[in-house]
Amino acid sequence: MANIADTLKSDSLEQHREVEKLLVNRIRNIRTVSDYVSLLQIFYTYFGALEKRIEKVISVKDLPDFNSRRKTDALAKDLADLGSAPQAMATADSLPLLSNQKAALGALYVIEGSTLGGGIIGKMISRQIELPAGLGLSFFTGYGEQTEFMWAGFKSSLNAASIDADDHKIVTDAVINTFRKFKLWIEQHV
Ligand code: HEM
């Protein structure tokens, strides 16, 4: 059987494509720093709330470098650097239900995977607007040149977690719901 990281990729290709398409359209319409701040708020309010939920069920015991993978602080820093206060985070039905540690691993897969597209997004934004030197892109820059390395590390932790057939379905459903709810969240904040 293929490892879980590989099956998650194929099982969520469609949801990824939909989110990517929506974001690319949105990024193409960014004309001002304020437009970019609105995009950052979408990520901050969704990923930030998701991380709070994930932290309730996952710790360094499950993923040794869990803390250094958190994104909320980078997003808050980018907003602050661009002179904006973070908005209220997403709640309740706007988020996927993460009832246990396996479901949380699925949501983490989506958050970590976003670093693979983050560099592309950062470059697109730099072409659209002029940001103050060195500011506002720490979230999208992410792990920078370490991105592939960090992704490989995350996938090995995922593949090493003991996930049976029932758990596999829980993780996959969480991945799909995390993408779907994010798509809805973006659509609600146009
Ligand atoms: C403009 C937006 C985006 C672009 C251009 C983009 C692009 C990419 C690329 C190039 C990859 C690597 C594919 C590969 O190595 O085969 C990738 C993987 C991935 N992206 Fe995105 N992405 C975008 C947005 C997002 C967002 C917002 C999320 C999460 C909410 C996300 C989640 C993922 C995940 C989970 C993977 C890993 C797939 C795997 O298992 O290999 N992406 N993306």
Side-chain angles (χ1 to χ4, degrees), residues 9 16 20 23-24 109-110 113-114 116-117 120-121 151 179 182:
K9 176 175 183 165
H16 179 279
E20 181 182 335
L23 274 177
V24 168
Y109 164 88
V110 177
S114 74
L116 299 173
I120 304 173
I121 299 179
W151 179 240
F179 271 123
F182 190 46

Side-chain angles (χ1 to χ4, degrees), residues 5-6 8-9 12 16 19-21 23-24 27 43 47 109-118 120-121 124 148 151 155 178-179 182 186:
D6 290 342
L8 289 179
K9 176 175 183 165
S12 63
H16 179 279
V19 166
E20 181 182 335
K21 203 170 125 198
L23 274 177
V24 168
I27 294 165
F43 275 88
F47 278 24
Y109 164 88
V110 177
I111 293 183
E112 281 304 307
S114 74
T115 63
L116 299 173
I120 304 173
I121 299 179
M124 287 176 76
E148 288 299 329
W151 179 240
K155 283 203 294 188
T178 303
F179 271 123
F182 190 46
I186 301 168

Side-chain angles (χ1 to χ4, degrees), residues 43-55:
F43 275 88
Y44 172 83
T45 50
Y46 189 79
F47 278 24
L50 210 49
E51 287 194 335
K52 278 194 181 172
R53 286 203 168 180
I54 293 169
E55 277 162 18

Side-chain angles (χ1 to χ4, degrees), residues 20-39:
E20 181 182 335
K21 203 170 125 198
L22 197 60
L23 274 177
V24 168
N25 278 338
R26 205 188 154 102
I27 294 165
R28 286 206 181 113
N29 287 324
I30 288 179
R31 296 280 174 275
T32 62
V33 172
S34 156
D35 293 340
Y36 173 52
V37 162
S38 306
L39 180 75

Side-chain angles (χ1 to χ4, degrees), residues 1-187:
M1 195 173 133
N3 65 45
I4 183 143
D6 290 342
T7 60
L8 289 179
K9 176 175 183 165
S10 48
D11 288 344
S12 63
L13 270 184
E14 191 188 324
Q15 287 74 26
H16 179 279
R17 201 175 302 127
E18 287 181 7
V19 166
E20 181 182 335
K21 203 170 125 198
L22 197 60
L23 274 177
V24 168
N25 278 338
R26 205 188 154 102
I27 294 165
R28 286 206 181 113
N29 287 324
I30 288 179
R31 296 280 174 275
T32 62
V33 172
S34 156
D35 293 340
Y36 173 52
V37 162
S38 306
L39 180 75
L40 279 174
Q41 295 283 15
I42 291 175
F43 275 88
Y44 172 83
T45 50
Y46 189 79
F47 278 24
L50 210 49
E51 287 194 335
K52 278 194 181 172
R53 286 203 168 180
I54 293 169
E55 277 162 18
K56 287 193 183 140
V57 279
I58 294 239
S59 70
V60 287
K61 283 199 257 71
D62 307 297
L63 191 65
D65 56 0
F66 177 70
N67 291 326
S68 59
R69 290 180 180 274
R70 303 287 41 83
K71 321 291 180 211
T72 309
D73 288 353
L75 283 159
K77 177 185 166 4
D78 288 341
L79 285 168
D81 285 350
L82 299 176
S84 190
Q87 287 172 357
M89 288 187 185
T91 52
D93 289 352
S94 301
L95 297 167
L97 193 67
L98 304 177
S99 47
N100 63 24
Q101 185 242 11
K102 306 296 176 197
L105 278 178
L108 266 186
Y109 164 88
V110 177
I111 293 183
E112 281 304 307
S114 74
T115 63
L116 299 173
I120 304 173
I121 299 179
K123 283 195 191 103
M124 287 176 76
I125 288 160
S126 303
R127 282 197 293 268
Q128 304 275 127
I129 51 169
E130 205 162 316
L131 285 166
L135 296 182
L137 281 175
S138 68
F139 168 68
F140 287 117
T141 306
Y143 307 124
E145 289 180 357
Q146 296 295 310
T147 302
E148 288 299 329
F149 174 80
M150 292 297 284
W151 179 240
F154 177 75
K155 283 203 294 188
S156 349
S157 300
L158 194 61
N159 290 329
S162 53
I163 294 175
D164 62 20
D166 287 346
D167 290 341
H168 195 125
K169 181 166 171 20
I170 293 175
V171 182
T172 308
D173 287 350
V175 168
I176 290 177
N177 282 331
T178 303
F179 271 123
R180 282 206 182 125
K181 296 266 180 179
F182 190 46
K183 178 173 176 247
L184 287 174
W185 191 245
I186 301 168
E187 284 168 343

